[in-house]
Amino acid sequence: PTGTLVKQASAYIQQNYTRSFSLKELSDTIGVSKSYLSRIFKMDTGISLWNFLNRFRIQKAKELLLLTNESITEIAADVGYEDVSYFSRVFRETAGCSPRAYRQQA
């Protein structure tokens, strides 16, 4: 059944990535403790929940950078980052370049 919990957590992230939410909110929705959910998610996927969330958000941001003319600030907000400098840092760590450079490469 841990695979089911991981699927539920993944689905929740994919449905709610555009807004800010806590690990408590996520674990309450699924009906398990925060520590249990974190542990089985990492065991199952090899990455932490927040790492998964950030990767998913950055993937969506990449699509928006290529498909829209929205500003980087708007895209950051669209994918759930309230702080554009934090978004840029996570984007650079995940994609290997800044959002602006990514858009220009395309």
Side-chain angles (χ1 to χ4, degrees), residues 35-101:
S35 59
Y36 181 71
L37 181 59
S38 296
R39 193 168 64 249
I40 61 155
F41 196 92
K42 178 124 179 152
M43 256 175 29
D44 237 47
T45 64
I47 61 172
S48 74
L49 260 166
W50 292 129
N51 205 332
F52 178 84
L53 173 62
N54 279 328
R55 286 184 186 182
F56 189 80
R57 283 177 166 166
I58 296 306
Q59 191 53 50
K60 292 294 180 186
K62 286 177 171 180
E63 292 168 19
L64 291 172
L65 284 163
L66 299 181
L67 300 174
T68 73
N69 289 320
E70 284 188 1
S71 72
I72 289 166
T73 304
E74 288 171 316
I75 289 172
D78 288 347
V79 298
Y81 291 98
E82 294 165 21
D83 178 349
V84 72
S85 61
Y86 178 66
F87 164 72
S88 293
R89 191 167 75 239
V90 173
F91 191 97
R92 186 181 299 276
E93 287 168 7
T94 306
C97 63
S98 71
R100 183 168 281 106

